[in-house]
């Protein structure tokens, strides 16, 4: 229980770390980007509103100043009277204040209140307009009231002399409100986008990162020796494929580990049996007084037979070791494969006869030319196949062998008439250490070595069940270039 809690704690820490890294690497850049977009958009909207309002007010002031100068200011003595009349009839006085400024920068007439007369607004647009004779604007807080305003001052020229100025003043309260509403809308959209990003990332973490942590924990358990464990697969996408691959790997590792254990047990048993016979008969011969020479000869024959069997097993293990670490090589030359196969048949025919097994051989009608190959390795394959046929199918008391030429391939077939191989075991019979349900002696690596030798000759090594019963091994070797 304590180990399980530690494992869950490690997984939680791993997920938390992945979540923090994901948020730092993905959410943070998006947040910075959204913040930049909000800032630029807000500044752009504010600039658009204020600039549009200033341009509109400048156009209105310029048009009014030109009209007043052309039509109303016919003499300087009538200037004040005309200005008061113009201000009194000003149509936009509800949201714009019209002021007439004298040459000293003080208000002469105001469209909103006579109390403004004689006061100095104190904004720099007035002094600039009077001194330069050009229209100027001011945007900021009114020095007298503190209100945020926009003012435009347009000089009035009489006889080529600036005698005063016409000033338009409007409050920016509504504009500021509109800008604030627009900025809030943009900010709200950004917040919603950020919320969607966070939600999608949380879902991603829950659907990807946590399953990855589960897979990682399972892989760690497999590497620690828990072969064969399975992960529940609830994922339909690439994660599901990953989990299937992990589960398949776990099963294969478990199966290989089981075969390895069985191989060690089998080899130990196979080595123990001849060693016991050799040791027993050695002690018997050593203690024998020589009164029974037949028994001594019999013991020596058993010792020799078991020694050869041990030698064959050791050589088989050495061959497999070479195959595993890449030292398994061929000594290629032109090989009379038919002669090599017939020599093997001749060697095993008498041995099989002694065991009550008839070995039938049928050569092909067409003469088989030499092929490129390693004669020793090919003979090793032929011997192993015939030995397996007798070992696993000898109960049929008959083995049929043939060699023919089929197109550009030399085909060797060896068939026994035993019980055959269970269909469920056929896909695995060439795997290393695999023995299946067979109780016959052997290490389970002979066929794997044969398959590797034939593969190095660019051929194929197939094992299947024959029609009518028994097992058939088919070896195909390329003829080479003619």
């Amino acid at each position: 229980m304590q180990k399980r809690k530690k494992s869950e704690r490690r997984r939680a820490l791993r997920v938390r770390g992945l979540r923090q890294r994901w948020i730092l690497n993905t959410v943070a850049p998006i947040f910075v980007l959204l913040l930049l977009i909000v800032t630029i958009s807000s500044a752009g909207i504010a600039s658009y509103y204020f600039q549009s309002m200033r341009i509109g007010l400048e156009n209105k002031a310029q048009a009014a100043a030109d009209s007043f100068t052309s039509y109303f200011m016919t003499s300087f003595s009538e200037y004040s009277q005309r200005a008061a009349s113009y201000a009194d009839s000003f149509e936009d006085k509800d949201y714009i204040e019209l002021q007439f400024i004298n040459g000293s920068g003080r208000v002469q007439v105001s469209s909103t209140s006579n109390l403004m007369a004689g006061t100095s607004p104190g904004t720099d647009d007035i002094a600039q307009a009077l001194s330069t004779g050009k229209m100027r604007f001011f945007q900021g807080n009114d020095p007298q009231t503190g209100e945020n305003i926009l003012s435009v001052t347009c000089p009035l020229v009489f006889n080529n002399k600036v005698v005063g100025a016409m000033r338009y003043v409007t409050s920016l309260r509504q504009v500021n409100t509109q800008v604030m509403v627009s900025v809030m809308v943009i900010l709200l959209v950004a917040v919603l986008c950020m919320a969607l990003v966070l939600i999608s990332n949380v879902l991603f973490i829950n659907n990807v990162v946590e399953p990855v942590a589960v897979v990682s924990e399972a892989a760690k358990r497999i590497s620690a020796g828990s072969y064969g464990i399975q992960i529940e697969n609830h994922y339909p996408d690439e994660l599901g494929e990953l989990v299937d691959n992990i589960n398949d790997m776990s099963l294969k590792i478990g199966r290989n580990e089981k075969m390895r254990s069985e191989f060690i047990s089998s080899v130990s048993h196979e080595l123990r049996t001849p060693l016991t016979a050799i040791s027993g008969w050695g002690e018997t011969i050593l203690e024998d007084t020589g009164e029974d020479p037949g028994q001594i000869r019999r013991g020596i024959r058993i010792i020799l037979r078991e020694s050869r069997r041990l030698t064959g097993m050791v050589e088989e293990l050495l061959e497999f070791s070479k195959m595993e670490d890449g030292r398994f090589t061929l000594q290629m030359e032109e090989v009379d494969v038919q002669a090599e196969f017939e020599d093997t048949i001749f060697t095993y025919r008498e041995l099989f006869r002694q065991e009550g097994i008839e070995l039938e051989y049928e050569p092909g009608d067409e003469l088989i030319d030499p092929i490129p190959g390693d004669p020793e390795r090919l003979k090793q394959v032929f011997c192993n196949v015939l030995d397996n046929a007798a070992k696993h199918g000898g109960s049929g008391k008959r083995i049929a062998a043939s060699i023919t030429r089929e197109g550009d391939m030399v085909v060797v077939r060896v068939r026994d008439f035993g019980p055959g191989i269970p269909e469920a075991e056929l896909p695995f019979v060439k795997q290393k250490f695999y023995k299946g349900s067979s109780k016959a002696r052997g290490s389970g690596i002979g066929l794997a070595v044969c398959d590797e030798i034939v593969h190095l000759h660019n051929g194929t090594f197939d094992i299947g069940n024959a029609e009518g019963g028994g097992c058939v091994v088919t070896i195909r070797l390329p003829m080479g270039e003619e």
Side-chain angles (χ1 to χ4, degrees):
M1 180 65 70
Q2 188 175 2
K3 187 181 292 184
R4 182 177 179 182
K5 288 182 178 179
K6 288 182 179 179
S7 175
E8 291 177 353
R9 186 160 52 251
R10 285 197 304 269
R11 189 173 72 184
L13 290 173
R14 191 180 297 112
V15 171
R16 190 180 304 123
L18 289 172
R19 182 181 289 112
Q20 290 173 352
R21 278 192 294 167
W22 180 260
I23 290 176
L24 181 64
N25 296 328
T26 304
V27 178
I30 295 177
F31 174 77
V32 172
L33 180 62
L34 286 175
L35 185 62
L36 185 63
I37 291 174
V38 169
T39 303
I40 294 175
S41 300
S42 300
I45 289 175
S47 176
Y48 170 77
Y49 271 109
F50 290 129
Q51 188 174 7
S52 298
M53 189 171 184
R54 178 178 61 81
I55 292 174
L57 200 62
E58 286 178 345
N59 293 334
K60 188 182 290 290
Q62 185 66 58
D66 292 343
S67 176
F68 184 82
T69 302
S70 301
Y71 300 105
F72 292 95
M73 205 167 74
T74 56
S75 65
F76 185 74
S77 58
E78 297 178 351
Y79 167 70
S80 297
Q81 182 179 358
R82 297 288 188 184
S85 175
Y86 191 88
D88 185 59
S89 62
F90 185 57
E91 297 179 353
D92 299 327
K93 63 178 63 179
D94 292 338
Y95 57 91
I96 298 176
E97 179 183 359
L98 171 62
Q99 297 175 349
F100 284 91
I101 308 296
N102 61 20
S104 60
R106 296 183 177 277
V107 178
Q108 286 183 287
V109 178
S110 174
S111 64
T112 57
S113 173
N114 292 327
L115 297 177
M116 293 292 296
T119 63
S120 177
T123 58
D124 56 6
D125 59 317
I126 297 176
Q128 292 176 3
L130 293 175
S131 62
T132 63
K134 295 181 180 180
M135 183 168 54
R136 291 290 184 267
F137 76 93
F138 168 80
Q139 181 179 333
N141 294 329
D142 191 320
Q144 296 180 346
T145 64
E147 184 180 8
N148 194 237
I149 63 169
L150 172 65
S151 65
V152 174
T153 302
C154 188
L156 298 175
V157 180
F158 184 74
N159 292 332
N160 297 323
K161 182 180 179 182
V162 177
V163 298
M166 181 181 289
R167 184 169 182 253
Y168 275 30
V169 184
T170 185
S171 174
L172 294 177
R173 187 184 302 111
Q174 290 184 351
V175 177
N176 288 334
T177 301
Q178 290 178 345
V179 170
M180 185 63 65
V181 170
S182 300
V183 171
M184 291 301 295
V185 170
I186 295 174
L187 188 61
L188 179 61
V189 172
V191 170
L192 290 175
C193 291
M194 198 66 209
L196 290 175
V197 170
L198 286 173
I199 292 172
S200 64
N201 277 273
V202 169
L203 292 175
F204 177 82
I205 290 172
N206 291 334
N207 293 331
V208 176
V209 177
E210 290 187 4
V212 167
V214 172
V215 172
S216 176
E217 187 66 27
K220 188 174 182 180
R221 290 175 59 192
I222 293 173
S223 66
S226 299
Y227 308 127
I229 64 170
Q230 297 290 284
I231 308 170
E232 292 187 11
N233 192 351
H234 308 292
Y235 319 110
D237 49 15
E238 289 82 0
L239 275 175
E241 185 177 353
L242 174 63
V243 170
D244 286 338
N245 291 334
I246 293 289
N247 288 337
D248 186 53
M249 179 191 71
S250 178
L251 285 175
K252 288 181 178 178
I253 292 176
R255 189 185 304 122
N256 289 338
E257 182 66 16
K258 181 181 178 181
M259 287 192 296
R260 186 184 68 85
S261 299
E262 292 176 351
F263 167 74
I264 294 174
S265 176
S266 174
V267 168
S268 299
H269 176 73
E270 293 289 336
L271 292 174
R272 187 186 300 115
T273 301
L275 286 173
T276 300
I278 292 171
S279 176
W281 277 102
E283 292 176 359
T284 301
I285 293 173
L286 185 63
E287 295 175 359
D288 193 280
T289 59
E291 296 178 356
D292 188 359
Q295 184 175 356
I296 293 176
R297 286 194 298 272
R298 179 187 176 192
I300 292 174
R301 281 197 301 270
I302 292 175
I303 290 174
L304 287 173
R305 184 175 70 244
E306 297 301 324
S307 297
R308 292 192 188 99
R309 190 150 69 93
L310 278 176
T311 301
M313 292 177 61
V314 171
E315 288 178 352
E316 193 176 61
L317 291 173
L318 289 174
E319 295 291 345
F320 178 74
S321 175
K322 291 179 181 179
M323 185 178 72
E324 286 291 284
D325 60 18
R327 293 183 293 114
F328 197 87
T329 57
L330 301 178
Q331 301 296 325
M332 301 295 288
E333 60 182 73
E334 290 295 315
V335 180
D336 188 344
V337 66
Q338 184 170 358
E340 294 292 341
F341 187 61
E342 289 176 352
D343 285 347
T344 308
I345 294 292
F346 179 79
T347 302
Y348 275 85
R349 178 172 280 162
E350 180 61 24
L351 293 175
F352 289 171
R353 187 186 63 78
Q354 294 175 8
E355 296 178 9
I357 301 173
E358 181 184 359
L359 176 56
E360 302 174 351
Y361 169 63
E362 180 182 347
D365 297 333
E366 187 177 354
L367 181 65
I368 298 176
D369 297 327
I371 67 171
D374 186 329
E376 294 299 325
R377 296 296 188 188
L378 290 175
K379 195 164 187 178
Q380 180 183 349
V381 172
F382 300 150
C383 291
N384 200 306
V385 169
L386 288 171
D387 187 59
N388 270 277
K391 189 185 300 180
H392 300 285
S395 59
K397 302 300 180 181
R398 180 184 166 199
I399 296 174
S402 66
I403 181 169
T404 59
R405 175 174 178 174
E406 297 180 2
D408 58 351
M409 304 290 286
V410 176
V411 181
V412 176
R413 289 187 177 88
V414 176
R415 175 188 175 179
D416 64 61
F417 292 83
I421 303 173
E423 291 294 330
E425 297 180 8
L426 274 176
F428 310 107
V429 292
K430 292 190 291 185
Q431 290 184 0
K432 57 185 179 181
F433 310 142
Y434 189 80
K435 295 182 66 177
S437 58
S438 174
K439 303 301 181 183
R441 292 180 176 180
S443 61
I445 60 177
L447 292 179
V449 173
C450 290
D451 184 54
E452 179 68 14
I453 292 173
V454 175
H455 177 72
L456 290 175
H457 281 82
N458 296 319
T460 59
F461 184 82
D462 299 317
I463 303 174
N465 289 320
E467 294 183 5
C471 173
V472 59
V473 176
T474 305
I475 303 167
R476 289 183 171 83
L477 299 169
M479 296 286 295
E481 296 182 1
E482 295 185 357

